[in-house]
């Protein structure tokens, strides 16, 4: 979902959980307890807008940021370079107001390191549009007991997941199923016994389609073995099934590399727009030989 339309920038959709009291008025040492049949989760909100560093938002020159951009009127001109240099104070999301200006909807209680990592890797120059999900803590960041403290106070959002909606990335790596392989002890597949952290090329395509909990991800080369680069969203999971089934009919068994393209978030999810097999990168094991000793131009002998 692209959030370039200003009409969507200030949208919030709260949701919460509910439970039933199963046992009331249980006396405890320091009071009375009510036992419920579940875990109560705080209401969550989703806000679309623009990323801002709190350092620039708090300057005495407000609404003018360090890079000269007007954060209240034209926050899309606030540069990535400026936010990189001003990241120590944390980040927040600016939402469009009814009068056409922008205001700080929430400051983030967590997730700031992942946002900083994004700013270090992105190719964007400015206009960092985001969709944020989290829950309001009903606390103010910067709040203190000092009545004379004139530090700015910001509404706090916790369990923050930021989706970056203006940049599409492509990542190529080995496909892995999560429930049956990656999330198991040692990353060893329950279906085919492959150690997908060490030798993902041995993981069978047929094993990726086993079970009801078919969730997938894509690996990255960690130098010594492999690590999980991204988890797929629901659309990506559906695309995997559509991609794998025809390959089984073509008798392709293992060594399956894909390229996933889409937006990413700070929880490590890629929102897959397209998924395709990539035959350029394959892993092979064999004996290394010099071509002088072989009559044919073969550099790797398969076991």
């Amino acid at each position: 979902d692209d959030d370039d339309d200003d009409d969507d920038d200030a949208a919030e959709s709260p949701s919460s959980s509910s439970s039933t009291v199963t046992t009331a008025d249980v006396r405890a040492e320091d009071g009375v307890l009510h036992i419920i049949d579940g875990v109560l989760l705080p209401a969550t909100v989703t806000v679309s807008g623009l990323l801002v560093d709190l350092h620039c938002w708090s300057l005495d020159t407000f609404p003018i940021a360090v890079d000269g951009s007007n954060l209240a009127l034209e926050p899309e001109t606030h540069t990535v370079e400026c936010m990189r240099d001003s990241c120590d104070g944390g980040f927040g999301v600016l939402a469009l107001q009814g009068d056409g200006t922008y205001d700080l909807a929430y400051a983030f209680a967590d997730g700031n390191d992942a946002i900083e990592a994004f700013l270090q890797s992105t190719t964007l120059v400015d206009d960092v549009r985001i969709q944020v999900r989290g829950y309001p803590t009903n606390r103010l960041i910067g709040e203190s007991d000092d009545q004379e403290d004139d530090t700015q106070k910001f509404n706090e959002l916790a369990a923050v997941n930021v989706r970056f909606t203006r940049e599409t990335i492509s990542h190529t790596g080995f496909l892995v199923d999560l429930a049956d392989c990656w999330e198991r002890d040692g990353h060893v597949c329950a279906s085919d016994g492959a150690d997908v952290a060490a030798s993902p090329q041995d993981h069978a395509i047929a094993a990726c389609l086993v079970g009801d909990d078919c969730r997938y991800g894509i690996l990255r080369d960690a130098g010594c073995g492999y690590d999980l680069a991204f988890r797929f969203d629901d659309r990506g999971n559906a695309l995997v099934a559509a991609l794998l089934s025809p390959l089984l009919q073509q008798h392709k068994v293992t060594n399956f590399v894909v390229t996933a393209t889409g937006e990413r978030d700070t929880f490590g999810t890629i929102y897959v727009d397209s998924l395709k097999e990539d035959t350029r990168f394959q892993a092979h094991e064999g004996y290394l030989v010099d071509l002088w000793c072989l009559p044919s131009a073969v550099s790797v002998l398969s076991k």
Side-chain angles (χ1 to χ4, degrees):
D1 296 329
D2 195 332
D3 295 313
D4 287 344
D5 293 334
D6 285 344
D7 290 343
D8 296 330
D9 281 351
E12 296 191 17
S13 54
S15 60
S16 60
S17 62
S18 60
S19 296
T20 302
V21 175
T22 59
T23 307
D25 300 330
V26 178
R27 293 195 173 277
E29 182 177 337
D30 56 353
V32 175
L33 302 177
H34 299 310
I35 300 175
I36 61 177
D37 62 355
V39 178
L40 286 175
L41 299 176
T44 60
V45 297
T46 300
V47 184
S48 297
L50 289 109
L51 182 69
V52 66
D53 60 277
L54 299 183
H55 172 75
C56 284
W57 186 260
S58 306
L59 290 175
D60 292 337
T61 57
F62 177 84
I64 306 303
V66 172
D67 62 1
S69 59
N70 189 317
L71 298 178
L73 297 179
E74 297 178 321
E76 67 275 8
T77 63
H78 191 35
T79 64
V80 168
E81 181 180 4
C82 185
M83 286 190 279
R84 286 175 187 155
D85 295 339
S86 307
C87 61
D88 289 345
F91 300 95
V93 57
L94 298 179
L96 183 65
Q97 307 300 299
D99 61 0
T101 64
Y102 286 82
D103 198 4
L104 187 70
Y106 292 103
F108 304 151
D110 47 54
N112 292 305
D113 289 345
I115 294 172
E116 184 178 351
F118 166 82
L119 293 174
Q120 295 295 337
S121 65
T122 183
T123 59
L124 294 176
V125 176
D126 53 21
D127 195 15
V128 182
R129 295 184 179 270
I130 58 177
Q131 184 182 79
V132 185
R133 186 171 179 83
Y135 69 87
T137 64
N138 297 320
R139 295 195 301 266
L140 298 176
I141 289 182
E143 190 172 28
S144 73
D145 295 330
D146 185 358
Q147 299 295 324
E148 297 182 0
D149 183 8
D150 60 356
T151 303
Q152 291 195 55
K153 315 296 191 304
F154 307 128
N155 292 321
E156 183 183 63
L157 195 70
V160 174
N161 184 16
V162 178
R163 176 175 174 176
F164 303 98
T165 60
R166 198 177 153 254
E167 182 179 61
T168 297
I169 63 166
S170 291
H171 181 84
T172 299
F174 285 101
L175 180 75
V176 64
D177 50 298
L178 301 179
D180 196 49
C181 294
W182 190 259
E183 294 172 352
R184 289 174 51 83
D185 290 342
H187 308 306
V188 175
C189 180
S191 300
D192 62 10
D195 182 346
V196 293
S199 303
Q201 70 273 11
D202 296 335
H203 186 33
I205 292 177
C208 291
L209 298 173
V210 173
D212 297 327
D213 186 13
C214 292
R215 295 176 291 112
Y216 302 95
I218 188 170
L219 301 181
R220 64 176 178 85
D221 189 343
C224 182
Y226 291 82
D227 200 357
L228 188 66
F230 296 102
R231 298 173 182 270
F232 289 172
D233 67 334
D234 290 341
R235 172 178 165 79
N237 293 330
L239 289 175
V240 169
L243 185 63
L244 292 186
S245 297
L247 291 176
L248 290 175
Q249 298 175 7
Q250 299 169 19
H251 305 292
K252 184 173 179 63
V253 180
T254 59
N255 215 5
F256 189 56
V257 179
V258 297
T259 296
T261 302
E263 298 169 357
R264 54 178 158 160
D265 69 18
T266 52
F267 277 13
T269 300
I270 184 168
Y271 298 82
V272 183
D273 287 328
S274 66
L275 185 71
K276 62 181 182 180
E277 182 185 9
D278 198 314
T279 58
R280 297 174 300 166
F281 305 97
Q282 300 288 317
H284 297 279
E285 294 182 359
Y287 293 102
L288 179 66
V289 298
D290 60 277
L291 299 182
W292 180 261
C293 296
L294 287 178
S296 59
V298 178
S299 59
V300 176
L301 292 177
S302 299
K303 289 184 178 179

